[in-house]
Amino acid sequence: MIEFLKLHKLGIIEDAHIDLGPGLTVITGETGAGKTMVLSALRLLLGGRADQGLAASKETSVQGGWEVDPSSDFAQRMADAGVSLPDGELLLTRTMPSAGRSRCSANGTVVPQSLVADLADDLVAVHGQSDQTLLRRGSRQRDVLDRFGGARLAKLRDDYTAKYTVVKELDALFVEASTRHQEQAAELATLRDQLEEIDRVSPTAGEDVALGEAANRLENLSQLQTAAALATDAISGDESNDASALANVQVAVKSLDAVAHLDADLSSLRDQLREASVVLNEAAVDLSRYLSDLDAQPGQLEQVQSRRAEVTALTRKYGGTVDDVLRWSGDAAARVAALEEASDLGALTQRRASARAALATAAESLTAARKAAGREFCSRVTTELQGLAMPHSRLGIAIRHRRPLPDQDGLTIEGLESPAAFGASGVDEVEFLLLAHEGATPAPIGKAASGGELSRIMLALEVVLSESASAPTFVFDEVDAGVGGKAAVEIGRRLAQLGKSAQVLVVTHLPQVAAFADHHLVVSKQSDGRVTSSGVESLDDTERVRELARMLAGQEESTHAAAHARELLDLASLERSKESHAVGERRK
């Protein structure tokens, strides 16, 4: 929701601060006072092109404050652009120097104008004679119909989109398998040969390290045996060697046993010698075992060296260690499996055909749901149009299958009204049509309706769609062009109804519409004889009567006009009460 707007030197408005609230806000004023400057300010803030004619001799600027949902997609996209939204507050600023390029900023961070323009629809839906993009773009019209279709249609669309994604992925695989078949076959053959080479050797994890240690031991067997034998003899010797370390320690233990009880320190030393005797004995046993294990079988060194050569050949090709070779082997096996699947065009073709058949079925279901929703949508919008000074008009919807274009990168699948080009949102082209009167030929709304009628059609659409409003704020300009009397009252009533679920801003010249407002702003001109400028102010109840009297009779001081103005306000209040009661009854 827009909380405020600030205008500085925009057109004939010198300075204005406009506080905005929920519900319906109307903007009125005399012709030429600058009512449209408020809409111009919004367009500029939302990334519209800057008209140098709006800039004064000094720098022109507009500023707007919004309250947004911090968890919304809009907030996330702003965060991606480096703009934080503390507490959901957004401040947009647009400055336009009299010479040079304009600049956009969001919460003090300079952002591209294109980013703001891209996100504008999430903040405000502007409906003026130059803003009827929704009524001129088929994709937007399809989105409107899908939104009206509710949860059921959304589920069918999501199901279709998921199947469309699968088909696109399979098509990509098919194209790759077809165009790169020879290259993949060569790669597959090479990988298979390499894996076969590794399988023949069948290395085990850490085997290269173990083989290196074994080769080193066998190559130095004589030295190891001599050293181990000398060490064994020095520790334990044989029965005739009383000079061995173990024998000497045992003699020392026996010499202390007889007197150890006489001195605690000596007893401790005797115990240390006993422990040394045990350690020496264990070392002697281990050395004896080591000597027996060193006995090599004939040809064992040659076997180890031969195996080590095989393993080394693999590590030179596929990694620095056997563990690296095994990792490479696992990756290569996975690649072989993928290539075998991709190269199996028969199986891939069958999967692709099944996926495309499922997509065609999903598309038919989505089209049928859109047609059903379209019938109800047309009926409800037509009812609204007939109350908006378009009594003989009817809304129609044409739903046709898309046709592939020569330069279109789309899917073509036989089986619907063949051939149909499948897009991410289905096979349907949706076009809103207007029947201006009974017997008239249906024509696209953008061509069949005048500017004022376009705004009223937009109002009818938004009233019907109000329960699933896509934007928190709606702005209407010239929505009441060419109408008056009862039709004007109906326009005011519908704008007020829309204002119950969204913020609505309306520039109007009709007092019947202005009477329905929750908030009334007036743009007025002042002149000092040399310079004419305008300002914007919010009206209280008494001032509203004066403004409505001016709009009715051009004489705000007229007693009769004031009485008529109060009557309009009372009528609008009564109509809103009736509408609130009716809504409450429908909810029951």
Side-chain angles (χ1 to χ4, degrees):
M1 184 182 78
I2 309 174
E3 296 181 320
F4 69 86
L5 293 173
K6 291 177 67 176
L7 287 62
H8 176 67
K9 295 188 180 301
L10 182 66
I12 63 172
I13 295 181
E14 182 70 18
D15 280 293
H17 183 104
I18 307 170
D19 289 318
L20 298 170
L24 172 61
T25 297
V26 298
I27 304 168
T28 65
E30 295 181 0
T31 301
K35 298 188 295 295
T36 58
M37 288 299 101
V38 176
L39 299 188
S40 296
L42 270 176
R43 291 190 181 98
L44 290 171
L45 285 175
L46 299 174
R49 295 185 62 181
D51 182 358
Q52 289 296 330
L54 294 176
S57 58
K58 297 182 179 179
E59 186 174 82
T60 293
S61 67
V62 291
Q63 196 172 68
W66 269 263
E67 179 184 352
V68 298
D69 182 358
S71 63
S72 64
D73 291 340
F74 173 87
Q76 181 58 53
R77 293 181 68 182
M78 274 292 179
D80 293 341
V83 179
S84 61
L85 301 177
D87 302 321
E89 296 293 328
L90 171 66
L91 180 66
L92 291 180
T93 303
R94 181 81 176 270
T95 57
M96 297 183 301
S98 55
R101 300 182 62 180
S102 65
R103 186 173 69 251
C104 297
S105 66
N107 286 359
T109 300
V110 176
V111 294
Q113 177 183 335
S114 58
L115 171 69
V116 181
D118 187 42
L119 297 176
D121 288 347
D122 293 332
L123 293 177
V124 179
V126 179
H127 302 308
Q129 293 193 28
S130 61
D131 296 291
Q132 311 301 336
T133 56
L134 189 150
L135 297 179
R136 292 187 171 94
R137 290 170 53 186
S139 61
R140 293 288 304 276
Q141 294 175 7
R142 183 180 58 219
D143 291 343
V144 166
L145 180 59
D146 288 353
R147 201 173 99 209
F148 177 79
R152 178 177 179 273
L153 204 152
K155 184 176 183 301
L156 289 172
R157 181 165 169 167
D158 290 345
D159 179 62
Y160 169 88
T161 301
K163 289 181 170 59
Y164 176 81
T165 301
V166 170
V167 169
K168 293 288 283 184
E169 290 173 350
L170 289 174
D171 278 358
L173 280 176
F174 186 82
V175 170
E176 181 184 6
S178 299
T179 58
R180 296 186 58 219
H181 184 69
Q182 294 299 325
E183 181 181 342
Q184 289 177 339
E187 182 185 0
L188 187 59
T190 299
L191 287 172
R192 283 172 174 165
D193 289 344
Q194 291 170 329
L195 287 173
E196 183 178 348
E197 179 185 10
I198 294 174
D199 287 341
R200 281 197 303 269
V201 177
S202 297
T204 58
E207 185 179 1
D208 50 341
V209 176
L211 286 171
E213 293 174 349
N216 187 58
R217 183 172 62 253
L218 291 170
E219 289 168 354
N220 298 281
L221 184 62
S222 176
Q223 291 176 274
L224 294 173
Q225 287 175 328
T226 300
L230 288 173
T232 301
D233 187 56
I235 293 174
S236 58
D238 53 26
E239 293 181 358
S240 62
N241 184 7
D242 293 335
S244 68
L246 182 59
N248 288 332
V249 171
Q250 289 173 344
V251 169
V253 170
K254 288 180 180 179
S255 67
L256 295 177
D257 277 342
V259 294
H261 64 283
L262 299 176
D263 189 329
D265 290 340
L266 192 60
S267 175
S268 175
L269 291 171
R270 188 267 320 269
D271 291 340
Q272 290 181 36
L273 289 171
R274 283 179 176 174
E275 291 175 3
S277 175
V278 171
V279 171
L280 286 171
N281 190 56
E282 290 176 350
V285 172
D286 290 341
L287 281 168
S288 177
R289 185 181 300 113
Y290 177 78
L291 274 170
S292 64
D293 290 342
L294 279 179
D295 292 336
Q297 298 296 324
Q300 186 176 1
L301 176 60
E302 289 76 10
Q303 292 175 3
V304 169
Q305 289 173 333
S306 175
R307 177 65 178 175
R308 192 180 184 190
E310 290 179 334
V311 170
T312 300
L314 293 182
T315 58
R316 286 173 178 169
K317 283 187 178 181
Y318 307 112
T321 66
V322 168
D323 291 347
D324 295 331
V325 173
L326 294 175
R327 276 192 293 272
W328 185 94
S329 176
D331 294 341
R335 176 61 177 164
V336 166
L339 288 173
E340 287 175 343
E341 181 179 4
S343 64
D344 188 354
L345 293 180
L348 188 57
T349 300
Q350 185 175 0
R351 286 177 58 198
R352 183 169 173 254
S354 298
R356 289 163 82 88
L359 179 64
T361 300
E364 290 174 346
S365 299
L366 181 57
T367 298
R370 281 173 173 156
K371 288 179 177 179
R375 287 189 288 271
E376 182 182 355
F377 185 68
C378 287
S379 174
R380 292 178 59 179
V381 173
T382 296
T383 299
E384 294 296 327
L385 290 177
Q386 291 174 352
L388 293 171
M390 300 176 69
H392 305 297
S393 298
R394 290 171 50 213
L395 179 72
I397 295 181
I399 300 178
R400 310 180 186 92
H401 287 153
R402 299 169 65 228
R403 291 289 183 261
L405 301 175
D407 59 346
Q408 180 176 349
D409 182 20
L411 300 170
T412 300
I413 301 177
E414 304 291 332
L416 294 172
E417 291 176 5
S418 138
F422 282 58
S425 301
V427 299
D428 305 315
E429 289 180 339
V430 175
E431 186 174 38
F432 290 174
L433 306 174
L434 180 66
L435 289 78
H437 54 80
E438 291 295 335
T441 301
I445 283 180
K447 297 179 180 179
S450 66
E453 287 174 331
L454 282 174
S455 288
R456 273 176 274 160
I457 293 169
M458 279 307 313
L459 174 58
L461 293 177
E462 296 296 1
V463 169
V464 172
L465 293 168
S466 60
E467 292 184 1
S468 56
S470 59
T473 300
F474 297 94
V475 179
F476 292 93
D477 185 22
E478 299 293 338
V479 70
D480 49 16
V483 301
K486 184 178 179 180
V489 174
E490 289 298 318
I491 290 176
R493 184 174 66 83
R494 283 164 172 78
L495 288 168
Q497 178 185 342
L498 183 59
K500 292 183 180 298
S501 58
Q503 184 184 45
V504 181
L505 276 64
V506 180
V507 175
T508 182
H509 65 278
L510 291 180
Q512 296 95 325
V513 173
F516 280 87
D518 296 295
H519 314 283
H520 192 149
L521 303 176
V522 65
V523 181
S524 56
K525 291 191 296 185
Q526 301 89 31
S527 176
D528 60 4
R530 292 178 302 170
V531 177
T532 298
S533 62
S534 290
V536 183
E537 60 179 324
S538 180
L539 302 184
D540 60 23
D541 291 343
T542 300
E543 292 166 335
R544 286 191 70 188
V545 172
R546 288 173 54 84
E547 174 63 9
L548 291 180
R550 182 199 64 77
M551 297 171 72
L552 283 164
Q555 299 175 342
E556 56 266 38
E557 301 298 336
S558 167
T559 303
H560 294 295
H564 191 183
R566 282 189 286 270
E567 184 181 359
L568 276 180
L569 290 170
D570 291 341
L571 173 63
S573 178
L574 179 61
E575 289 290 333
R576 298 184 68 160
S577 297
K578 288 180 180 178
E579 181 62 30
S580 296
H581 178 73
V583 170
E585 289 297 317
R586 287 195 295 269
R587 289 176 177 172
K588 290 180 181 179

